[in-house]
Amino acid sequence: MPADTSRSASGKSRLRQLLPLLAGFIGALLVLAAPLQRLDNWLYDAALSWHTLDKSADDPILIEVDNRSLAEMGSWPWPRELHARLLDQLQSARAVGLDIALAESTLASSKPDQALAAAMQRNGKVVSPVFPESNAKGLTETRPLPLFEAASNRLGHTDFERDTDGVVRRTYLRAGLGSPDHPGFARAVLDVAQGKPAAPAAHAFHGRDEPWVRADEVMVPFAGGNLPFERLSYIDALSGVSKDYFRNRIVLIGVTAAGLGDMHGTPVSDNAAGMPGVVINAYLLRGLQDGTLIHPLSLPAQALLTLLLIVLLDYSLAPRGQQRNALLIYTAAALLVGMGSLLLLELGHLWFAPISSMLLVLLCGFARFISRQASLQTLATTDGLTQLANRRHFDEVFIPAIERQRNTRQPLAFVLLDIDHFKLYNDQYGHYAGDVILKRVAHVLRESFSRKGVLPARLGGEEFGVLMPGTSMQDAVDAAEVFRQRLEDLDLPHDGSPLLKVTCSIGVAARIPQPDDTAQRIYEEADGALYIAKRSGRNVVSPASS
């Protein structure tokens, strides 16, 4: 194969080998830049909506400040003595999460606050909420009144992170102002239920510029279908059931009535109405209890895994990329990545966002498919031995070139050449040696006629042609002479030739195509000039007469 063709093929081969690595890096960048996060979120939400949770005897009880309780007990906020009564009703519970903000005192009298604090102390298992809040002075940490904080078993944060689409999918097991001192609310409630000692109290005072710090990211284990915990109206919990009803149960208390509590969009809620924060905490508590909390891969791990998946898949599938069903194979591989992500979510409780990997695997498949089509096109238009254009492709280009040069009133040159005494060469040296000579001639031809738009071709046997749009007769003859001299200078031995070397005879036809000019007519003119070159002793360039 000629050196330049070899270099071209080698370059294409290296490019094909680098494609998986390039695609892998693009996939990793997509993960880091997150332009496809909405699609990943859609897939994640769909997976959660298909998943259901069964109720169990150990499920938490959610006591709700709901519309029915408000209708019977009056507008919110209620007297704190009511909360005190409820906490006394929950003496036998394993833990009580009081997810109600108690950051302001009762102005009329301190007795309601003292009564609630006393009930919290008597219960001894109450967790109170802490959360970040912005005001004119900056970010602050909203905690219960000191009276209630002291009476609580411990504090837990109720901070939920919203994704870019405003939906809550994740939270953090630790967070706090300045440092992640507070456990998540659900984590704190479960620790109380399991009898774990509380961590040393976090410092209550922070500077204005301290950020809210989060740690230990988890995805909330939402599920479709019915809620996997028992719901009880506040008024029923206060007077409709006995104390034994709550024995050894974990209880969460919070506001679920529309317009009163903190409402958040979630993957399994009507996001126009949202889901109360206490319900999200109930999901978290259930996940903590049965070990089904979902852990997302960190961003660096996500990017690295995406890169590795794309590289490994494309390297393994690349040999199949030249098959007809390459697109189908790569599509199946992309779908397997998505299915693997969903299986990892369901069985391993790990979330790997797969869309970037799936997209780049598909793009690799398209690239392999396009490469295959280009290879087929090249095979169809290229002479297999010399790697020049073949006769079929030359004929396809010849006629449009005539029309184009006629319309633009520009000349068209056609160079026709024939290797001198080639049959004698084959007879003496063999057909393999003859093929080598054809390759050498093609190489010199390609070097001599390298201008853009010029098409050298093997027309059959030892006959070659060159189509030169926009070239006058004199320029075409000069170019043909350069080629003839270069071939002669190679001194390729040919004992059957009078010159004892491989040479060519060349005929040239060139002019501005006329209305009656056809490809056959121009070819015959060049062929006539070639005949004259051979009769003139060979190894000469002969122009066709005008």
Side-chain angles (χ1 to χ4, degrees):
M1 182 180 290
D4 56 346
T5 304
S6 177
R7 284 195 298 271
S8 175
S10 176
K12 290 179 180 178
S13 176
R14 284 196 297 272
L15 184 61
R16 285 194 292 267
Q17 291 173 0
L18 288 174
L19 176 63
L21 195 58
L22 177 62
F25 276 113
I26 293 174
L29 289 175
L30 284 177
V31 170
L32 296 174
L36 303 176
Q37 187 179 33
R38 284 185 179 270
L39 289 176
D40 284 313
N41 288 343
W42 174 85
L43 183 63
Y44 177 81
D45 295 350
L48 291 186
S49 66
W50 299 330
H51 180 67
T52 58
L53 292 173
D54 298 325
K55 291 188 176 182
S56 69
D58 200 37
D59 283 343
I61 298 174
L62 175 59
I63 297 178
E64 305 179 65
V65 179
D66 56 6
N67 291 326
R68 175 172 162 246
S69 297
L70 289 170
E72 297 192 27
M73 299 173 63
S75 60
W76 186 262
W78 294 331
R80 285 176 177 171
E81 291 90 344
L82 285 176
H83 300 322
R85 282 177 53 195
L86 180 60
L87 291 179
D88 287 336
Q89 181 79 349
L90 303 175
Q91 286 287 351
S92 61
R94 290 166 57 199
V96 178
L98 186 61
D99 193 6
I100 294 175
L102 298 170
E104 297 178 357
S105 61
T106 304
L107 299 178
S109 170
S110 63
K111 289 183 179 181
D113 291 345
Q114 291 172 353
L116 178 55
M120 294 169 72
Q121 287 179 325
R122 286 193 299 272
N123 185 290
K125 293 160 285 188
V126 176
V127 176
S128 295
V130 58
F131 49 90
E133 202 168 29
S134 297
N135 59 27
K137 296 181 179 180
L139 195 65
T140 62
E141 187 176 70
T142 299
R143 305 163 74 105
L145 290 172
L147 181 67
F148 299 136
E149 183 174 343
S152 300
N153 184 290
R154 64 195 70 187
L155 301 180
H157 77 81
T158 57
D159 171 40
F160 304 110
E161 182 180 4
R162 295 176 185 264
D163 286 332
T164 54
D165 56 1
V167 175
V168 169
R169 296 181 180 88
R170 67 194 75 233
T171 188
Y172 297 81
L173 296 182
R174 294 185 297 120
L177 200 62
S179 60
D181 298 317
H182 303 296
F185 189 79
R187 174 78 268 176
V189 171
L190 186 59
D191 286 347
V192 171
Q194 294 174 342
K196 295 182 180 179
H203 183 57
F205 301 99
H206 299 273
R208 292 183 185 177
D209 298 330
E210 289 189 85
W212 181 261
V213 180
R214 293 159 165 165
D216 297 342
E217 181 183 11
V218 295
M219 312 289 283
V220 182
F222 294 113
N226 297 325
L227 296 176
F229 36 82
E230 185 174 350
R231 305 179 70 167
L232 192 63
S233 182
Y234 193 104
I235 192 170
D236 292 334
L238 194 62
S239 56
V241 295
S242 68
K243 292 182 179 181
D244 286 341
Y245 186 81
F246 303 103
R247 186 170 300 280
N248 293 324
R249 300 291 295 276
I250 298 175
V251 178
L252 297 179
I253 306 170
V255 178
T256 61
L260 293 183
D262 54 330
M263 294 288 180
H264 308 274
T266 72
V268 295
S269 65
D270 177 2
N271 289 341
M275 180 180 288
V278 68
V279 176
I280 297 177
N281 272 315
Y283 273 110
L284 280 167
L285 182 56
R286 169 65 186 263
L288 286 164
Q289 283 180 288
D290 57 19
T292 58
L293 276 187
I294 301 166
H295 296 270
L297 293 180
S298 66
L299 201 58
Q302 176 87 25
L304 179 60
L305 184 55
T306 297
L307 186 150
L308 291 176
L309 266 177
I310 294 169
V311 170
L312 291 175
L313 281 173
D314 192 42
Y315 267 129
S316 61
L317 296 177
R320 300 175 180 270
Q322 294 303 311
Q323 297 180 7
R324 281 186 173 183
N325 59 348
L327 276 180
L328 185 61
I329 292 171
Y330 275 83
T331 300
L335 292 175
L336 282 175
V337 171
M339 292 173 61
S341 172
L342 295 179
L343 282 174
L344 189 64
L345 178 66
E346 178 68 22
L347 302 179
H349 310 301
L350 289 172
W351 173 237
F352 165 69
I355 297 298
S356 296
S357 300
M358 296 173 68
L359 176 63
L360 265 299
V361 168
L362 283 174
L363 289 178
C364 285
F366 275 111
R368 300 292 182 188
F369 176 77
I370 291 171
S371 174
R372 176 182 182 273
Q373 296 304 108
S375 298
L376 292 176
Q377 179 65 21
T378 300
L379 288 173
T381 60
T382 304
D383 176 63
L385 179 65
T386 63
Q387 300 302 303
L388 295 176
N390 59 18
R391 180 62 182 262
R392 174 187 174 187
H393 182 53
F394 187 84
D395 289 344
E396 289 175 349
V397 173
F398 203 168
I399 295 174
I402 294 172
E403 292 294 328
R404 186 168 54 251
Q405 299 306 111
R406 179 188 293 128
N407 293 336
T408 59
R409 304 295 300 164
Q410 294 292 319
L412 175 68
F414 173 49
V415 176
L416 183 63
L417 60 100
D418 192 277
I419 300 176
D420 295 328
H421 306 294
F422 187 68
K423 184 179 183 302
L424 294 176
Y425 188 95
N426 277 336
D427 292 343
Q428 182 171 355
Y429 297 97
H431 288 279
Y432 181 82
D435 287 347
V436 172
I437 289 299
L438 290 172
K439 292 179 183 179
R440 296 295 296 274
V441 170
H443 176 57
V444 178
L445 197 66
R446 189 181 294 106
E447 285 188 335
S448 302
F449 296 93
S450 59
R451 182 168 60 85
K452 184 178 180 181
V454 171
L455 179 67
R458 183 187 179 194
L459 302 182
E462 69 272 25
E463 189 176 72
F464 296 83
V466 183
L467 198 61
M468 305 177 69
T471 306
S472 66
M473 174 64 83
Q474 187 59 53
D475 289 341
V477 169
D478 291 345
E481 181 61 33
V482 168
F483 161 74
R484 186 204 63 76
Q485 190 64 53
R486 283 182 176 178
L487 181 62
E488 182 180 1
D489 291 345
L490 290 178
D491 281 329
L492 300 173
H494 186 354
D495 291 343
S497 169
L499 297 176
L500 301 178
K501 65 176 71 174
V502 174
T503 59
C504 275
S505 298
I506 305 172
V508 180
R511 65 168 177 276
I512 298 174
Q514 300 303 306
D516 58 343
D517 277 332
T518 63
Q520 180 180 355
R521 181 173 181 178
I522 295 174
Y523 186 97
E524 288 175 349
E525 288 183 7
D527 190 46
L530 174 60
Y531 177 75
I532 293 173
K534 289 182 178 182
R535 292 194 61 181
S536 301
R538 303 180 187 266
N539 192 30
V540 295
V541 176
S542 174
S545 58
S546 301

